Amino acid sequence: MATKILPPSDSAYQYPLLIKQLLHSSQRFENNNPIVSGPHRFSYAQFNERVCRLANALKAAGIGPGDTVAVMDWDSHRYLECFFAIPMIGAILHTVNIRLSPGQILYTMNHAEDDLVLVHDDFVPIIDGIKDQLETVKGFIRLSDESQSPSSEFPTLGEYEALLAQADVHYDFPDFDENSVATTFYTTGTTGNPKGVYFSHRQLVLHTLNMVNMLQSRSSEGALLNHDGVYMPITPMFHVHAWGIPYAATMMGVKQVYPGRYIPDELTRLIREEGVTFSHCVPTILQMVLQSSEAPDTDFRGWTVIIGGSALTSGLAKAAMERGIQPYSAYGMSETCPLLAITRMGKEEHALAEEDQIGWRIKAGLPSDLVDIQIWNPEGEVLPHDGKSTGELVTRSPWLTQSYLNEPEKGDELWQGGWLHTGDIACIHPDGSVEIKDRIKDVIKTGGEWISSLELESLISKHAGVSAVTVVGVPDERWGERPFALVVPNCEDLETESLIEHLQQFVDDGTINKWAIPKEFKLVDDIPKTSVGKIDKKLIRAQIS
């Protein structure tokens, strides 16, 4: 029998899932919580008015449905306003990775066919150097902080705040197809030019609804973030919409704090003075906050942090918990909007001693609602969820990018077999929890054995003298590859012999085999990072090969 579908009434409202509904939701109940950015503090009513003003300013600049607006800014109230106003008028928001080289920024702007660029004074020199090679850009709007004097002679349509002051406070945001592209940005995780990832209004709304539910239900000890919390992103807003959490925080009407540039002392001061209860970041940023000069004077109790981008190590989790921080792990990637899985701890796990909680906190956790996850072997066969079988993690959910912008052949590769391929090696436990073992390209193959660089990093991080660590595989004539470790010490007398002795205990108890002890430990002041703060293993391998 065929599925029965009843036609809607001709007079019924066909409710499209559009970003404007996320903003309108916050207006229903929020009167007190502000949006904080530098010297600015806006109520949600004022924020809504500013979004309308920005929409009118964009319209006056000639921007309409289907046009693309690039933004180059630090994390600010302006960026949050762009998250809403640009897609709400039917245009496409291009969040430019400001840490790319000028040549890569030029490539992404031409590839995205940007029509207008909103550029902070700090990045005007970059744009000034490439503006004559921009193929589709018709104008620029300058973004300035109050403490700065106006930028040089660079030609613009005006300064952001001045343009908003002149614009009307009302804008009738239209309905349109919920499958219209809302945002795009570029991921640089592989060789070659950056690839454009894009998301529709429908995908972002569904992701936001799921994120709100996840934030309020994933811990038996209370919500990770609720209406009474204070949210501060420490993930760049150009990177997967700061993991999509600004959309969720706005819908929930929480107090939001935007920190501008990521200066560790300033981040720590904001956590203390603004009473921040929830943030998200890569491990490197959490480490910087803990080591900042403001940290000794800061009570971190009540601060929950979601770690993603790179694996949360046991050592960093322990260091955070010793300062009263509640760390959790989340898993996703640029192409997945990004939420796929997150730590879920019940009453039994929270009742454990802190040392025993770490194993739960560093796992990717359980898949989020509406997310299907499997692990496949190289032949595309589904492997059992027994906590032992490992294979590539593949996934499906309503908010995954459908392809790469203007590169359908790469999109077909991403979606081979009808599932999105993450490139991560994982196992799934009988309870459904996901444990990421490594990136396929980062697994170390030595003497016929596969060694997880993530597991080895977590074990090394437990050494009291280790501040940060990363492990890569290097060529070895006898064994094919051997592990090589870069270690940032937190003391002056750390020696290689001490690290080897530390790892030997895990060989003795069967956690790792003897070949997992790195061929060489190199003590360094810092570990190379990518443009979004992840450890750059590709660069490290190139430097030591």
Side-chain angles (χ1 to χ4, degrees), residues 66-352:
D67 291 332
T68 301
V69 179
V71 178
M72 298 179 68
D73 195 9
W74 304 112
D75 288 8
S76 70
H77 63 289
R78 296 176 298 246
Y79 225 140
L80 186 64
E81 290 155 8
C82 289
F83 269 30
F84 287 90
I86 293 171
M88 283 166 58
I89 66 173
I92 300 167
L93 167 66
H94 173 197
T95 56
V96 178
N97 184 338
I98 55 179
R99 295 173 184 157
L100 295 178
S101 68
Q104 288 177 313
I105 290 175
L106 173 65
Y107 171 82
T108 63
M109 286 184 159
N110 284 335
H111 189 265
E113 300 180 347
D114 292 339
D115 295 282
L116 179 70
V117 182
L118 278 62
V119 55
H120 190 281
D121 282 340
D122 287 351
F123 310 118
V124 165
I126 296 174
I127 294 298
D128 202 18
I130 64 174
K131 67 179 186 299
D132 294 337
Q133 302 173 68
L134 293 171
E135 298 169 357
T136 56
V137 172
K138 305 175 184 66
F140 305 88
I141 291 176
R142 199 181 81 244
L143 311 176
S144 285
D145 295 324
E146 289 185 355
S147 60
Q148 295 177 315
S149 58
S151 300
S152 60
E153 300 300 321
F154 183 76
T156 70
L157 300 175
E159 191 274 329
Y160 185 91
E161 292 295 339
L163 292 174
L164 260 63
Q166 298 166 8
D168 196 328
V169 299
H170 301 288
Y171 194 100
D172 186 15
F173 292 102
D175 283 352
F176 44 79
D177 192 328
E178 63 184 18
N179 295 302
S180 301
V181 177
T183 65
T184 188
F185 58 89
Y186 285 76
T187 180
T188 57
T190 59
T191 57
N193 287 322
K195 298 192 295 292
V197 175
Y198 59 91
F199 296 99
S200 69
H201 281 255
R202 173 183 170 82
Q203 289 175 314
L204 290 172
V205 170
L206 290 173
H207 184 271
T208 301
L209 294 173
N210 187 62
M211 181 71 76
V212 169
N213 178 63
M214 179 276 296
L215 291 172
Q216 297 187 91
S217 66
R218 280 296 167 119
S219 174
S220 66
E221 296 296 295
L224 302 179
L225 178 67
N226 60 27
H227 178 250
D228 296 322
V230 181
Y231 164 64
M232 183 175 77
I234 324 181
T235 301
M237 297 180 79
F238 65 71
H239 183 52
V240 206
H241 330 104
W243 299 357
I245 300 182
Y247 281 125
T250 302
M251 183 176 181
M252 295 164 69
V254 306
K255 176 181 175 180
Q256 302 185 56
V257 180
Y258 287 86
R261 296 188 64 172
Y262 289 175
I263 302 171
D265 282 354
E266 180 65 12
L267 294 174
T268 309
R269 183 190 66 78
L270 286 170
I271 292 167
R272 182 178 67 242
E273 295 183 0
E274 296 292 346
V276 176
T277 64
F278 178 80
S279 296
H280 48 88
C281 61
V282 296
T284 306
I285 296 292
L286 178 57
Q287 188 82 50
M288 290 166 60
V289 168
L290 288 173
Q291 295 175 346
S292 70
S293 62
E294 292 279 344
D297 298 323
T298 301
D299 184 353
F300 289 107
R301 288 176 297 179
W303 188 37
T304 295
V305 183
I306 299 293
I307 298 295
S310 299
L312 173 63
T313 64
S314 298
L316 182 56
K318 181 180 179 182
M321 294 175 72
E322 287 175 346
R323 293 301 310 274
I325 300 168
Q326 294 294 309
Y328 296 87
S329 295
Y331 172 70
M333 54 193 292
S334 296
E335 290 84 347
T336 65
C337 200
L339 181 63
L340 290 178
I342 190 168
T343 301
R344 174 179 282 174
M345 293 181 62
K347 292 182 179 179
E348 291 183 3
E349 290 77 35
H350 277 291
L352 296 172

Side-chain angles (χ1 to χ4, degrees), residues 283-284 287-288 290-291 313 315-316 319 460-470 486-491 494 499 524-525 527:
T284 306
Q287 188 82 50
M288 290 166 60
L290 288 173
Q291 295 175 346
T313 64
L316 182 56
I460 295 172
S461 76
K462 293 182 177 182
H463 190 290
V466 173
S467 174
V469 59
T470 192
L486 291 182
V487 174
V488 179
N490 60 18
C491 57
L494 181 64
L499 294 169
V524 296
D525 293 329
I527 295 174

Side-chain angles (χ1 to χ4, degrees), residues 450-462:
W450 281 28
I451 296 173
S452 165
S453 67
L454 299 184
E455 180 181 24
L456 195 50
E457 288 163 0
S458 195
L459 294 176
I460 295 172
S461 76
K462 293 182 177 182

